[in-house]
PDB file of all heavy atoms in Angstrom:
ATOM      1  N   HIS A   9     130.206  97.343 116.148  1.00  0.00           N
ATOM      2  CA  HIS A   9     130.390  97.928 117.478  1.00  0.00           C
ATOM      3  C   HIS A   9     130.172  96.826 118.513  1.00  0.00           C
ATOM      4  O   HIS A   9     129.041  96.559 118.933  1.00  0.00           O
ATOM      5  CB  HIS A   9     129.389  99.067 117.668  1.00  0.00           C
ATOM      6  CG  HIS A   9     129.674  99.931 118.844  1.00  0.00           C
ATOM      7  ND1 HIS A   9     129.649  99.460 120.147  1.00  0.00           N
ATOM      8  CD2 HIS A   9     129.999 101.239 118.926  1.00  0.00           C
ATOM      9  CE1 HIS A   9     129.926 100.445 120.971  1.00  0.00           C
ATOM     10  NE2 HIS A   9     130.146 101.535 120.252  1.00  0.00           N
ATOM     11  N   ALA A  10     131.265  96.189 118.924  1.00  0.00           N
ATOM     12  CA  ALA A  10     131.188  95.025 119.811  1.00  0.00           C
ATOM     13  C   ALA A  10     130.465  95.336 121.124  1.00  0.00           C
ATOM     14  O   ALA A  10     129.650  94.542 121.599  1.00  0.00           O
ATOM     15  CB  ALA A  10     132.588  94.481 120.091  1.00  0.00           C
ATOM     16  N   GLY A  11     130.737  96.497 121.720  1.00  0.00           N
ATOM     17  CA  GLY A  11     130.087  96.856 122.985  1.00  0.00           C
ATOM     18  C   GLY A  11     128.577  96.972 122.827  1.00  0.00           C
ATOM     19  O   GLY A  11     127.818  96.482 123.662  1.00  0.00           O
ATOM     20  N   ASN A  12     128.147  97.631 121.755  1.00  0.00           N
ATOM     21  CA  ASN A  12     126.704  97.743 121.516  1.00  0.00           C
ATOM     22  C   ASN A  12     126.087  96.395 121.200  1.00  0.00           C
ATOM     23  O   ASN A  12     124.965  96.117 121.626  1.00  0.00           O
ATOM     24  CB  ASN A  12     126.419  98.712 120.372  1.00  0.00           C
ATOM     25  CG  ASN A  12     126.448 100.160 120.799  1.00  0.00           C
ATOM     26  OD1 ASN A  12     126.676 100.476 121.964  1.00  0.00           O
ATOM     27  ND2 ASN A  12     126.239 101.049 119.858  1.00  0.00           N
ATOM     28  N   ILE A  13     126.796  95.565 120.447  1.00  0.00           N
ATOM     29  CA  ILE A  13     126.253  94.242 120.103  1.00  0.00           C
ATOM     30  C   ILE A  13     126.029  93.430 121.370  1.00  0.00           C
ATOM     31  O   ILE A  13     124.979  92.798 121.531  1.00  0.00           O
ATOM     32  CB  ILE A  13     127.161  93.517 119.099  1.00  0.00           C
ATOM     33  CG1 ILE A  13     127.114  94.242 117.744  1.00  0.00           C
ATOM     34  CG2 ILE A  13     126.756  92.052 118.939  1.00  0.00           C
ATOM     35  CD1 ILE A  13     128.150  93.787 116.747  1.00  0.00           C
ATOM     36  N   ASP A  14     126.975  93.465 122.296  1.00  0.00           N
ATOM     37  CA  ASP A  14     126.801  92.762 123.579  1.00  0.00           C
ATOM     38  C   ASP A  14     125.605  93.329 124.347  1.00  0.00           C
ATOM     39  O   ASP A  14     124.790  92.580 124.878  1.00  0.00           O
ATOM     40  CB  ASP A  14     128.064  92.868 124.438  1.00  0.00           C
ATOM     41  CG  ASP A  14     129.224  92.064 123.888  1.00  0.00           C
ATOM     42  OD1 ASP A  14     129.000  91.178 123.029  1.00  0.00           O
ATOM     43  OD2 ASP A  14     130.364  92.323 124.314  1.00  0.00           O
ATOM     44  N   LEU A  15     125.507  94.651 124.401  1.00  0.00           N
ATOM     45  CA  LEU A  15     124.408  95.296 125.113  1.00  0.00           C
ATOM     46  C   LEU A  15     123.067  94.972 124.450  1.00  0.00           C
ATOM     47  O   LEU A  15     122.092  94.651 125.134  1.00  0.00           O
ATOM     48  CB  LEU A  15     124.628  96.810 125.161  1.00  0.00           C
ATOM     49  CG  LEU A  15     123.578  97.644 125.880  1.00  0.00           C
ATOM     50  CD1 LEU A  15     123.347  97.149 127.305  1.00  0.00           C
ATOM     51  CD2 LEU A  15     123.991  99.093 125.886  1.00  0.00           C
ATOM     52  N   LEU A  16     123.015  95.036 123.124  1.00  0.00           N
ATOM     53  CA  LEU A  16     121.777  94.718 122.409  1.00  0.00           C
ATOM     54  C   LEU A  16     121.365  93.262 122.627  1.00  0.00           C
ATOM     55  O   LEU A  16     120.172  92.962 122.747  1.00  0.00           O
ATOM     56  CB  LEU A  16     121.940  94.999 120.917  1.00  0.00           C
ATOM     57  CG  LEU A  16     122.024  96.477 120.539  1.00  0.00           C
ATOM     58  CD1 LEU A  16     122.577  96.641 119.130  1.00  0.00           C
ATOM     59  CD2 LEU A  16     120.677  97.160 120.688  1.00  0.00           C
ATOM     60  N   THR A  17     122.340  92.373 122.710  1.00  0.00           N
ATOM     61  CA  THR A  17     122.046  90.959 122.984  1.00  0.00           C
ATOM     62  C   THR A  17     121.423  90.814 124.369  1.00  0.00           C
ATOM     63  O   THR A  17     120.421  90.106 124.536  1.00  0.00           O
ATOM     64  CB  THR A  17     123.325  90.111 122.853  1.00  0.00           C
ATOM     65  OG1 THR A  17     123.822  90.248 121.513  1.00  0.00           O
ATOM     66  CG2 THR A  17     123.058  88.649 123.156  1.00  0.00           C
ATOM     67  N   ARG A  18     122.001  91.485 125.369  1.00  0.00           N
ATOM     68  CA  ARG A  18     121.442  91.427 126.728  1.00  0.00           C
ATOM     69  C   ARG A  18     120.047  92.040 126.784  1.00  0.00           C
ATOM     70  O   ARG A  18     119.135  91.496 127.410  1.00  0.00           O
ATOM     71  CB  ARG A  18     122.379  92.109 127.724  1.00  0.00           C
ATOM     72  CG  ARG A  18     123.658  91.322 128.000  1.00  0.00           C
ATOM     73  CD  ARG A  18     124.417  91.832 129.216  1.00  0.00           C
ATOM     74  NE  ARG A  18     124.690  93.257 129.226  1.00  0.00           N
ATOM     75  CZ  ARG A  18     125.732  93.847 128.635  1.00  0.00           C
ATOM     76  NH1 ARG A  18     126.613  93.111 127.984  1.00  0.00           N
ATOM     77  NH2 ARG A  18     125.908  95.142 128.713  1.00  0.00           N
ATOM     78  N   LEU A  19     119.868  93.200 126.121  1.00  0.00           N
ATOM     79  CA  LEU A  19     118.549  93.827 126.081  1.00  0.00           C
ATOM     80  C   LEU A  19     117.537  92.904 125.405  1.00  0.00           C
ATOM     81  O   LEU A  19     116.419  92.729 125.901  1.00  0.00           O
ATOM     82  CB  LEU A  19     118.603  95.155 125.315  1.00  0.00           C
ATOM     83  CG  LEU A  19     119.114  96.367 126.051  1.00  0.00           C
ATOM     84  CD1 LEU A  19     119.380  97.518 125.076  1.00  0.00           C
ATOM     85  CD2 LEU A  19     118.122  96.806 127.110  1.00  0.00           C
ATOM     86  N   GLY A  20     117.941  92.316 124.289  1.00  0.00           N
ATOM     87  CA  GLY A  20     117.060  91.403 123.564  1.00  0.00           C
ATOM     88  C   GLY A  20     116.656  90.214 124.409  1.00  0.00           C
ATOM     89  O   GLY A  20     115.484  89.813 124.424  1.00  0.00           O
ATOM     90  N   THR A  21     117.594  89.650 125.153  1.00  0.00           N
ATOM     91  CA  THR A  21     117.305  88.511 126.023  1.00  0.00           C
ATOM     92  C   THR A  21     116.313  88.904 127.116  1.00  0.00           C
ATOM     93  O   THR A  21     115.343  88.185 127.376  1.00  0.00           O
ATOM     94  CB  THR A  21     118.608  87.964 126.641  1.00  0.00           C
ATOM     95  OG1 THR A  21     119.475  87.543 125.574  1.00  0.00           O
ATOM     96  CG2 THR A  21     118.341  86.807 127.576  1.00  0.00           C
ATOM     97  N   SER A  22     116.535  90.065 127.740  1.00  0.00           N
ATOM     98  CA  SER A  22     115.620  90.550 128.793  1.00  0.00           C
ATOM     99  C   SER A  22     114.218  90.768 128.248  1.00  0.00           C
ATOM    100  O   SER A  22     113.225  90.390 128.873  1.00  0.00           O
ATOM    101  CB  SER A  22     116.124  91.867 129.383  1.00  0.00           C
ATOM    102  OG  SER A  22     117.334  91.692 130.058  1.00  0.00           O
ATOM    103  N   LEU A  23     114.132  91.385 127.084  1.00  0.00           N
ATOM    104  CA  LEU A  23     112.825  91.679 126.502  1.00  0.00           C
ATOM    105  C   LEU A  23     112.129  90.418 125.993  1.00  0.00           C
ATOM    106  O   LEU A  23     110.917  90.268 126.163  1.00  0.00           O
ATOM    107  CB  LEU A  23     112.971  92.706 125.378  1.00  0.00           C
ATOM    108  CG  LEU A  23     113.326  94.115 125.855  1.00  0.00           C
ATOM    109  CD1 LEU A  23     113.783  94.974 124.687  1.00  0.00           C
ATOM    110  CD2 LEU A  23     112.146  94.756 126.569  1.00  0.00           C
ATOM    111  N   ASN A  24     112.897  89.505 125.391  1.00  0.00           N
ATOM    112  CA  ASN A  24     112.301  88.251 124.908  1.00  0.00           C
ATOM    113  C   ASN A  24     111.671  87.458 126.045  1.00  0.00           C
ATOM    114  O   ASN A  24     110.659  86.781 125.853  1.00  0.00           O
ATOM    115  CB  ASN A  24     113.336  87.398 124.182  1.00  0.00           C
ATOM    116  CG  ASN A  24     113.714  87.979 122.836  1.00  0.00           C
ATOM    117  OD1 ASN A  24     112.984  88.772 122.252  1.00  0.00           O
ATOM    118  ND2 ASN A  24     114.874  87.583 122.341  1.00  0.00           N
ATOM    119  N   ALA A  25     112.245  87.568 127.230  1.00  0.00           N
ATOM    120  CA  ALA A  25     111.713  86.841 128.391  1.00  0.00           C
ATOM    121  C   ALA A  25     110.311  87.310 128.765  1.00  0.00           C
ATOM    122  O   ALA A  25     109.560  86.569 129.395  1.00  0.00           O
ATOM    123  CB  ALA A  25     112.656  86.997 129.593  1.00  0.00           C
ATOM    124  N   VAL A  26     109.948  88.536 128.355  1.00  0.00           N
ATOM    125  CA  VAL A  26     108.607  89.053 128.647  1.00  0.00           C
ATOM    126  C   VAL A  26     107.772  89.196 127.365  1.00  0.00           C
ATOM    127  O   VAL A  26     106.750  89.874 127.352  1.00  0.00           O
ATOM    128  CB  VAL A  26     108.663  90.394 129.418  1.00  0.00           C
ATOM    129  CG1 VAL A  26     109.233  90.186 130.813  1.00  0.00           C
ATOM    130  CG2 VAL A  26     109.444  91.440 128.647  1.00  0.00           C
ATOM    131  N   GLY A  27     108.224  88.561 126.289  1.00  0.00           N
ATOM    132  CA  GLY A  27     107.456  88.525 125.056  1.00  0.00           C
ATOM    133  C   GLY A  27     107.537  89.754 124.174  1.00  0.00           C
ATOM    134  O   GLY A  27     106.664  89.998 123.349  1.00  0.00           O
ATOM    135  N   VAL A  28     108.594  90.532 124.332  1.00  0.00           N
ATOM    136  CA  VAL A  28     108.775  91.756 123.549  1.00  0.00           C
ATOM    137  C   VAL A  28     110.110  91.648 122.809  1.00  0.00           C
ATOM    138  O   VAL A  28     111.063  91.061 123.339  1.00  0.00           O
ATOM    139  CB  VAL A  28     108.763  92.996 124.476  1.00  0.00           C
ATOM    140  CG1 VAL A  28     109.028  94.265 123.716  1.00  0.00           C
ATOM    141  CG2 VAL A  28     107.453  93.086 125.234  1.00  0.00           C
ATOM    142  N   THR A  29     110.182  92.198 121.607  1.00  0.00           N
ATOM    143  CA  THR A  29     111.433  92.141 120.844  1.00  0.00           C
ATOM    144  C   THR A  29     111.885  93.530 120.425  1.00  0.00           C
ATOM    145  O   THR A  29     111.058  94.437 120.235  1.00  0.00           O
ATOM    146  CB  THR A  29     111.275  91.275 119.579  1.00  0.00           C
ATOM    147  OG1 THR A  29     110.241  91.833 118.767  1.00  0.00           O
ATOM    148  CG2 THR A  29     110.940  89.845 119.918  1.00  0.00           C
ATOM    149  N   LEU A  30     113.193  93.668 120.284  1.00  0.00           N
ATOM    150  CA  LEU A  30     113.751  94.899 119.732  1.00  0.00           C
ATOM    151  C   LEU A  30     113.522  94.900 118.225  1.00  0.00           C
ATOM    152  O   LEU A  30     113.679  93.864 117.577  1.00  0.00           O
ATOM    153  CB  LEU A  30     115.258  94.967 119.997  1.00  0.00           C
ATOM    154  CG  LEU A  30     115.698  95.234 121.425  1.00  0.00           C
ATOM    155  CD1 LEU A  30     117.200  95.049 121.556  1.00  0.00           C
ATOM    156  CD2 LEU A  30     115.294  96.641 121.858  1.00  0.00           C
ATOM    157  N   PRO A  31     113.191  96.050 117.633  1.00  0.00           N
ATOM    158  CA  PRO A  31     113.018  96.104 116.178  1.00  0.00           C
ATOM    159  C   PRO A  31     114.347  95.853 115.461  1.00  0.00           C
ATOM    160  O   PRO A  31     115.406  96.294 115.917  1.00  0.00           O
ATOM    161  CB  PRO A  31     112.525  97.517 115.914  1.00  0.00           C
ATOM    162  CG  PRO A  31     112.317  98.171 117.220  1.00  0.00           C
ATOM    163  CD  PRO A  31     112.905  97.310 118.285  1.00  0.00           C
ATOM    164  N   GLU A  32     114.263  95.156 114.326  1.00  0.00           N
ATOM    165  CA  GLU A  32     115.476  94.824 113.568  1.00  0.00           C
ATOM    166  C   GLU A  32     116.231  96.070 113.121  1.00  0.00           C
ATOM    167  O   GLU A  32     117.462  96.080 113.138  1.00  0.00           O
ATOM    168  CB  GLU A  32     115.124  93.960 112.365  1.00  0.00           C
ATOM    169  CG  GLU A  32     114.742  92.544 112.739  1.00  0.00           C
ATOM    170  CD  GLU A  32     114.417  91.707 111.514  1.00  0.00           C
ATOM    171  OE1 GLU A  32     115.022  91.921 110.444  1.00  0.00           O
ATOM    172  OE2 GLU A  32     113.553  90.829 111.648  1.00  0.00           O
TER     173      GLU A  32
END
Side-chain angles (χ1 to χ4, degrees):
H9 193 297
N12 279 0
I13 292 169
D14 290 344
L15 181 54
L16 289 164
T17 300
R18 289 194 308 275
L19 280 168
T21 300
S22 295
L23 290 166
N24 288 339
V26 293
V28 177
T29 59
L30 288 171
E32 288 181 33

